[in-house]
Amino acid sequence: LSRSPENAQKHDVLQLGVRACQKKTSAGSSNTLSPRTTELHGSRLSQEIQLSRLENLIEFFSDNSDIEAHQVRQMVHQKPNLLSLSIERNVAPVVHWLQNHVNMTRSGMSKTLRKQPNLLASSLEHKLLPTVQWLLDARVPPEKVRHVIERAPSILCYNVENSLKRKMSVLLQTMHVKEEDLGRLIATCPNLLLSNIEQNILERFEWFEDFLDVPRERFVLAVQRHPKILEYSISAKIEPTVEFLLESLACSKEELAEQIIKFPQLFSYNLQRIMERVEVVRAQLDVHYGGRAVALGSQGKRKGRPALTSRTAGEAAYHLPYLLKMTDKDFERRFG
């Protein structure tokens, strides 16, 4: 993807932000550590130096984030190399850049660093900036970049050329995703970039094709409508839901496949919720109408009204999407 003038300008602004952060922290930080790591007894820092650097980290994060002392200790336990970083040259520039130039909130930045403390050791110029620029070039809306990083911070640790661009190529070619839709896909489902994308996609292609006879080009439509379908576990989420619906609604595989393509958000609901609502509605309506009381289909055109159909004489059908979208309160009031 070519870099647009707008994104090129954003990249320049981010670069200026890096230099400004480095200059600011160099002039104003009172927690300066020597850039040279003192090594005693081979490669181990002395306990005294470790404790001193840990205290400096705790003090810095207390002043500049919502990360508490015990959380700093957890981060150091997870990544001991944090004690070898310079607050002035490594830690502070990353913290200030995330807050001031990626526009993370103090809370969001704190959660991000607790999830991925390795970011503090990453180079702004050579690692973080190129990854953010790649997200912009992939047409992730600028206001969504911070949300992508907050949800999947390890994206910033991936190599742009060897990993992210290769995965983007798979999405464009295998999934037939349009370039203009790629940013929305990443913003909606950033964890997709953290998985084995080829295996992830092919597994679902093959399962839906083998089990429901859904051809690849049709399944792509479901992914475009609800990208998270690529994240759901086949064994724990997709397969049990499909099997229940086939049995409970007495519908054909073709009918269910068509509904999944139109309403892939179906899998975002807990199976227990689906089972309970189907059974409650059937118990009430079957008494009056008999036969299949809950049918497949999308919500009716009139907002807030159930989509009633007549499959056979005297048979009413509440469409499944309508039932699942109802709040617990509305469902209880209507069917309780």
mmCIF file of all heavy atoms in Angstrom, residues 22 25-26 29 31-37 53 56-57 60-61 81-95 120-122:
data_model
loop_
_atom_site.group_PDB
_atom_site.id
_atom_site.type_symbol
_atom_site.label_atom_id
_atom_site.label_comp_id
_atom_site.label_asym_id
_atom_site.label_seq_id
_atom_site.Cartn_x
_atom_site.Cartn_y
_atom_site.Cartn_z
ATOM 1 N N GLN A 22 12.305 12.554 23.812
ATOM 2 C CA GLN A 22 13.663 12.251 24.251
ATOM 3 C C GLN A 22 14.323 13.484 24.853
ATOM 4 O O GLN A 22 15.010 13.422 25.853
ATOM 5 C CB GLN A 22 14.477 11.719 23.080
ATOM 6 C CG GLN A 22 14.043 10.327 22.638
ATOM 7 C CD GLN A 22 14.776 9.859 21.409
ATOM 8 O OE1 GLN A 22 15.138 10.659 20.552
ATOM 9 N NE2 GLN A 22 14.993 8.562 21.316
ATOM 10 N N THR A 25 12.579 14.314 28.340
ATOM 11 C CA THR A 25 12.961 13.426 29.431
ATOM 12 C C THR A 25 14.431 13.581 29.790
ATOM 13 O O THR A 25 14.826 13.411 30.928
ATOM 14 C CB THR A 25 12.684 11.968 29.062
ATOM 15 O OG1 THR A 25 13.324 11.679 27.822
ATOM 16 C CG2 THR A 25 11.193 11.707 28.930
ATOM 17 N N SER A 26 15.251 13.930 28.812
ATOM 18 C CA SER A 26 16.674 14.128 29.082
ATOM 19 C C SER A 26 16.892 15.327 29.971
ATOM 20 O O SER A 26 17.750 15.341 30.836
ATOM 21 C CB SER A 26 17.435 14.310 27.757
ATOM 22 O OG SER A 26 18.786 14.570 28.014
ATOM 23 N N SER A 29 14.071 14.621 33.714
ATOM 24 C CA SER A 29 13.912 13.435 34.555
ATOM 25 C C SER A 29 14.886 13.451 35.714
ATOM 26 O O SER A 29 16.068 13.694 35.551
ATOM 27 C CB SER A 29 14.125 12.165 33.720
ATOM 28 O OG SER A 29 14.058 11.041 34.556
ATOM 29 N N ASN A 31 15.097 10.728 37.540
ATOM 30 C CA ASN A 31 15.388 9.316 37.781
ATOM 31 C C ASN A 31 16.408 8.806 36.774
ATOM 32 O O ASN A 31 16.228 7.777 36.153
ATOM 33 C CB ASN A 31 14.108 8.487 37.670
ATOM 34 C CG ASN A 31 13.142 8.834 38.779
ATOM 35 O OD1 ASN A 31 13.542 8.892 39.916
ATOM 36 N ND2 ASN A 31 11.893 9.078 38.429
ATOM 37 N N THR A 32 17.473 9.566 36.561
ATOM 38 C CA THR A 32 18.457 9.195 35.558
ATOM 39 C C THR A 32 19.301 8.022 36.019
ATOM 40 O O THR A 32 19.805 8.008 37.138
ATOM 41 C CB THR A 32 19.384 10.397 35.269
ATOM 42 O OG1 THR A 32 18.575 11.483 34.832
ATOM 43 C CG2 THR A 32 20.386 10.048 34.183
ATOM 44 N N LEU A 33 19.425 7.028 35.147
ATOM 45 C CA LEU A 33 20.282 5.878 35.422
ATOM 46 C C LEU A 33 21.425 5.867 34.428
ATOM 47 O O LEU A 33 21.290 6.320 33.297
ATOM 48 C CB LEU A 33 19.490 4.584 35.277
ATOM 49 C CG LEU A 33 18.372 4.350 36.298
ATOM 50 C CD1 LEU A 33 17.655 3.061 35.948
ATOM 51 C CD2 LEU A 33 18.928 4.290 37.698
ATOM 52 N N SER A 34 22.535 5.346 34.845
ATOM 53 C CA SER A 34 23.663 5.225 33.940
ATOM 54 C C SER A 34 23.301 4.309 32.789
ATOM 55 O O SER A 34 22.717 3.248 32.994
ATOM 56 C CB SER A 34 24.871 4.645 34.683
ATOM 57 O OG SER A 34 25.888 4.309 33.766
ATOM 58 N N PRO A 35 23.635 4.692 31.537
ATOM 59 C CA PRO A 35 23.328 3.824 30.394
ATOM 60 C C PRO A 35 24.140 2.549 30.400
ATOM 61 O O PRO A 35 23.821 1.607 29.694
ATOM 62 C CB PRO A 35 23.669 4.709 29.190
ATOM 63 C CG PRO A 35 24.682 5.683 29.711
ATOM 64 C CD PRO A 35 24.281 5.950 31.130
ATOM 65 N N ARG A 36 25.206 2.528 31.161
ATOM 66 C CA ARG A 36 26.047 1.335 31.204
ATOM 67 C C ARG A 36 25.606 0.442 32.358
ATOM 68 O O ARG A 36 25.456 0.880 33.488
ATOM 69 C CB ARG A 36 27.507 1.742 31.408
ATOM 70 C CG ARG A 36 28.473 0.541 31.340
ATOM 71 C CD ARG A 36 29.896 1.058 31.212
ATOM 72 N NE ARG A 36 30.270 1.812 32.390
ATOM 73 C CZ ARG A 36 30.868 1.304 33.456
ATOM 74 N NH1 ARG A 36 31.151 0.024 33.487
ATOM 75 N NH2 ARG A 36 31.200 2.054 34.477
ATOM 76 N N THR A 37 25.314 -0.795 32.053
ATOM 77 C CA THR A 37 24.879 -1.758 33.059
ATOM 78 C C THR A 37 26.072 -2.276 33.846
ATOM 79 O O THR A 37 27.018 -2.812 33.279
ATOM 80 C CB THR A 37 24.186 -2.953 32.396
ATOM 81 O OG1 THR A 37 23.075 -2.467 31.652
ATOM 82 C CG2 THR A 37 23.695 -3.947 33.439
ATOM 83 N N ARG A 53 17.461 0.199 41.062
ATOM 84 C CA ARG A 53 16.802 0.412 39.773
ATOM 85 C C ARG A 53 15.321 0.089 39.842
ATOM 86 O O ARG A 53 14.500 0.737 39.185
ATOM 87 C CB ARG A 53 17.494 -0.415 38.701
ATOM 88 C CG ARG A 53 18.912 0.080 38.441
ATOM 89 C CD ARG A 53 19.529 -0.570 37.235
ATOM 90 N NE ARG A 53 20.812 0.064 36.918
ATOM 91 C CZ ARG A 53 21.541 -0.208 35.855
ATOM 92 N NH1 ARG A 53 21.104 -1.116 34.992
ATOM 93 N NH2 ARG A 53 22.669 0.419 35.633
ATOM 94 N N ASN A 56 13.683 3.067 41.337
ATOM 95 C CA ASN A 56 13.588 4.142 40.349
ATOM 96 C C ASN A 56 12.431 3.895 39.381
ATOM 97 O O ASN A 56 11.699 4.820 39.007
ATOM 98 C CB ASN A 56 14.892 4.273 39.569
ATOM 99 C CG ASN A 56 16.007 4.909 40.381
ATOM 100 O OD1 ASN A 56 15.746 5.639 41.337
ATOM 101 N ND2 ASN A 56 17.243 4.623 40.025
ATOM 102 N N LEU A 57 12.260 2.651 38.971
ATOM 103 C CA LEU A 57 11.149 2.313 38.077
ATOM 104 C C LEU A 57 9.808 2.547 38.769
ATOM 105 O O LEU A 57 8.877 3.109 38.172
ATOM 106 C CB LEU A 57 11.243 0.848 37.639
ATOM 107 C CG LEU A 57 12.131 0.508 36.441
ATOM 108 C CD1 LEU A 57 12.140 -1.005 36.214
ATOM 109 C CD2 LEU A 57 11.661 1.214 35.175
ATOM 110 N N PHE A 60 9.133 6.243 38.933
ATOM 111 C CA PHE A 60 8.788 6.798 37.622
ATOM 112 C C PHE A 60 7.346 6.464 37.250
ATOM 113 O O PHE A 60 6.578 7.326 36.820
ATOM 114 C CB PHE A 60 9.740 6.277 36.549
ATOM 115 C CG PHE A 60 9.337 6.691 35.154
ATOM 116 C CD1 PHE A 60 9.645 7.954 34.676
ATOM 117 C CD2 PHE A 60 8.620 5.825 34.343
ATOM 118 C CE1 PHE A 60 9.252 8.349 33.406
ATOM 119 C CE2 PHE A 60 8.221 6.200 33.075
ATOM 120 C CZ PHE A 60 8.547 7.478 32.601
ATOM 121 N N PHE A 61 6.964 5.194 37.395
ATOM 122 C CA PHE A 61 5.613 4.798 37.011
ATOM 123 C C PHE A 61 4.565 5.382 37.949
ATOM 124 O O PHE A 61 3.434 5.633 37.533
ATOM 125 C CB PHE A 61 5.505 3.277 36.955
ATOM 126 C CG PHE A 61 6.114 2.680 35.721
ATOM 127 C CD1 PHE A 61 7.202 1.812 35.807
ATOM 128 C CD2 PHE A 61 5.625 2.997 34.467
ATOM 129 C CE1 PHE A 61 7.767 1.264 34.673
ATOM 130 C CE2 PHE A 61 6.184 2.459 33.322
ATOM 131 C CZ PHE A 61 7.259 1.586 33.420
ATOM 132 N N ASN A 81 14.959 -8.063 32.298
ATOM 133 C CA ASN A 81 15.825 -7.127 31.583
ATOM 134 C C ASN A 81 15.362 -5.684 31.735
ATOM 135 O O ASN A 81 16.092 -4.753 31.364
ATOM 136 C CB ASN A 81 15.905 -7.487 30.104
ATOM 137 C CG ASN A 81 14.577 -7.308 29.372
ATOM 138 O OD1 ASN A 81 13.521 -7.630 29.909
ATOM 139 N ND2 ASN A 81 14.625 -6.793 28.164
ATOM 140 N N LEU A 82 14.168 -5.450 32.292
ATOM 141 C CA LEU A 82 13.712 -4.078 32.519
ATOM 142 C C LEU A 82 14.650 -3.331 33.449
ATOM 143 O O LEU A 82 14.793 -2.111 33.366
ATOM 144 C CB LEU A 82 12.295 -4.073 33.111
ATOM 145 C CG LEU A 82 11.148 -4.563 32.216
ATOM 146 C CD1 LEU A 82 9.826 -4.458 32.961
ATOM 147 C CD2 LEU A 82 11.104 -3.790 30.911
ATOM 148 N N LEU A 83 15.317 -4.081 34.355
ATOM 149 C CA LEU A 83 16.228 -3.434 35.301
ATOM 150 C C LEU A 83 17.500 -2.940 34.622
ATOM 151 O O LEU A 83 18.257 -2.169 35.216
ATOM 152 C CB LEU A 83 16.578 -4.401 36.433
ATOM 153 C CG LEU A 83 15.425 -4.785 37.370
ATOM 154 C CD1 LEU A 83 15.912 -5.754 38.433
ATOM 155 C CD2 LEU A 83 14.809 -3.541 38.006
ATOM 156 N N SER A 84 17.755 -3.382 33.419
ATOM 157 C CA SER A 84 18.952 -2.920 32.711
ATOM 158 C C SER A 84 18.665 -1.731 31.800
ATOM 159 O O SER A 84 19.571 -1.199 31.165
ATOM 160 C CB SER A 84 19.546 -4.065 31.878
ATOM 161 O OG SER A 84 18.675 -4.430 30.828
ATOM 162 N N LEU A 85 17.397 -1.300 31.759
ATOM 163 C CA LEU A 85 17.028 -0.181 30.893
ATOM 164 C C LEU A 85 17.280 1.150 31.580
ATOM 165 O O LEU A 85 17.168 1.277 32.798
ATOM 166 C CB LEU A 85 15.550 -0.266 30.514
ATOM 167 C CG LEU A 85 15.101 -1.496 29.724
ATOM 168 C CD1 LEU A 85 13.591 -1.431 29.489
ATOM 169 C CD2 LEU A 85 15.844 -1.601 28.400
ATOM 170 N N SER A 86 17.598 2.140 30.779
ATOM 171 C CA SER A 86 17.715 3.495 31.280
ATOM 172 C C SER A 86 16.351 4.160 31.246
ATOM 173 O O SER A 86 15.670 4.148 30.222
ATOM 174 C CB SER A 86 18.688 4.298 30.405
ATOM 175 O OG SER A 86 18.534 5.685 30.634
ATOM 176 N N ILE A 87 15.925 4.710 32.363
ATOM 177 C CA ILE A 87 14.646 5.420 32.389
ATOM 178 C C ILE A 87 14.694 6.599 31.428
ATOM 179 O O ILE A 87 13.734 6.859 30.685
ATOM 180 C CB ILE A 87 14.312 5.890 33.820
ATOM 181 C CG1 ILE A 87 13.991 4.685 34.705
ATOM 182 C CG2 ILE A 87 13.154 6.873 33.813
ATOM 183 C CD1 ILE A 87 13.648 5.026 36.136
ATOM 184 N N GLU A 88 15.801 7.287 31.427
ATOM 185 C CA GLU A 88 15.965 8.490 30.600
ATOM 186 C C GLU A 88 15.945 8.167 29.112
ATOM 187 O O GLU A 88 15.279 8.843 28.320
ATOM 188 C CB GLU A 88 17.272 9.195 30.960
ATOM 189 C CG GLU A 88 17.604 10.399 30.105
ATOM 190 C CD GLU A 88 18.991 10.938 30.444
ATOM 191 O OE1 GLU A 88 19.134 11.540 31.518
ATOM 192 O OE2 GLU A 88 19.912 10.727 29.631
ATOM 193 N N ARG A 89 16.628 7.119 28.707
ATOM 194 C CA ARG A 89 16.800 6.854 27.282
ATOM 195 C C ARG A 89 15.843 5.807 26.728
ATOM 196 O O ARG A 89 15.588 5.788 25.519
ATOM 197 C CB ARG A 89 18.238 6.399 27.015
ATOM 198 C CG ARG A 89 19.288 7.425 27.425
ATOM 199 C CD ARG A 89 20.613 7.181 26.747
ATOM 200 N NE ARG A 89 21.066 5.795 26.843
ATOM 201 C CZ ARG A 89 22.142 5.334 26.221
ATOM 202 N NH1 ARG A 89 22.840 6.142 25.457
ATOM 203 N NH2 ARG A 89 22.515 4.070 26.368
ATOM 204 N N ASN A 90 15.293 4.952 27.581
ATOM 205 C CA ASN A 90 14.425 3.870 27.098
ATOM 206 C C ASN A 90 12.977 4.005 27.556
ATOM 207 O O ASN A 90 12.059 4.049 26.734
ATOM 208 C CB ASN A 90 14.966 2.512 27.556
ATOM 209 C CG ASN A 90 16.385 2.252 27.109
ATOM 210 O OD1 ASN A 90 17.283 2.165 27.943
ATOM 211 N ND2 ASN A 90 16.625 2.139 25.817
ATOM 212 N N VAL A 91 12.797 4.030 28.863
ATOM 213 C CA VAL A 91 11.451 3.929 29.425
ATOM 214 C C VAL A 91 10.628 5.188 29.199
ATOM 215 O O VAL A 91 9.511 5.135 28.656
ATOM 216 C CB VAL A 91 11.520 3.603 30.934
ATOM 217 C CG1 VAL A 91 10.111 3.539 31.523
ATOM 218 C CG2 VAL A 91 12.261 2.289 31.157
ATOM 219 N N ALA A 92 11.150 6.332 29.608
ATOM 220 C CA ALA A 92 10.383 7.578 29.524
ATOM 221 C C ALA A 92 9.972 7.945 28.102
ATOM 222 O O ALA A 92 8.826 8.342 27.874
ATOM 223 C CB ALA A 92 11.173 8.719 30.168
ATOM 224 N N PRO A 93 10.860 7.843 27.103
ATOM 225 C CA PRO A 93 10.429 8.174 25.732
ATOM 226 C C PRO A 93 9.259 7.331 25.241
ATOM 227 O O PRO A 93 8.354 7.850 24.587
ATOM 228 C CB PRO A 93 11.693 7.919 24.901
ATOM 229 C CG PRO A 93 12.817 8.108 25.857
ATOM 230 C CD PRO A 93 12.308 7.582 27.162
ATOM 231 N N VAL A 94 9.257 6.039 25.574
ATOM 232 C CA VAL A 94 8.159 5.170 25.136
ATOM 233 C C VAL A 94 6.869 5.570 25.846
ATOM 234 O O VAL A 94 5.804 5.678 25.209
ATOM 235 C CB VAL A 94 8.493 3.692 25.417
ATOM 236 C CG1 VAL A 94 7.266 2.812 25.170
ATOM 237 C CG2 VAL A 94 9.650 3.227 24.547
ATOM 238 N N VAL A 95 6.934 5.797 27.144
ATOM 239 C CA VAL A 95 5.745 6.164 27.918
ATOM 240 C C VAL A 95 5.141 7.461 27.394
ATOM 241 O O VAL A 95 3.928 7.561 27.145
ATOM 242 C CB VAL A 95 6.095 6.292 29.413
ATOM 243 C CG1 VAL A 95 4.956 6.977 30.180
ATOM 244 C CG2 VAL A 95 6.362 4.912 30.007
ATOM 245 N N LEU A 120 8.876 -1.397 26.462
ATOM 246 C CA LEU A 120 9.777 -0.401 27.060
ATOM 247 C C LEU A 120 11.202 -0.542 26.546
ATOM 248 O O LEU A 120 11.990 0.402 26.615
ATOM 249 C CB LEU A 120 9.746 -0.527 28.578
ATOM 250 C CG LEU A 120 8.389 -0.215 29.234
ATOM 251 C CD1 LEU A 120 8.394 -0.641 30.691
ATOM 252 C CD2 LEU A 120 8.070 1.267 29.098
ATOM 253 N N ALA A 121 11.532 -1.720 26.041
ATOM 254 C CA ALA A 121 12.880 -1.947 25.509
ATOM 255 C C ALA A 121 12.932 -1.781 23.997
ATOM 256 O O ALA A 121 13.978 -1.976 23.391
ATOM 257 C CB ALA A 121 13.357 -3.346 25.894
ATOM 258 N N SER A 122 11.803 -1.412 23.393
ATOM 259 C CA SER A 122 11.745 -1.295 21.937
ATOM 260 C C SER A 122 12.216 0.079 21.472
ATOM 261 O O SER A 122 11.985 1.091 22.141
ATOM 262 C CB SER A 122 10.313 -1.525 21.442
ATOM 263 O OG SER A 122 9.861 -2.813 21.798
#
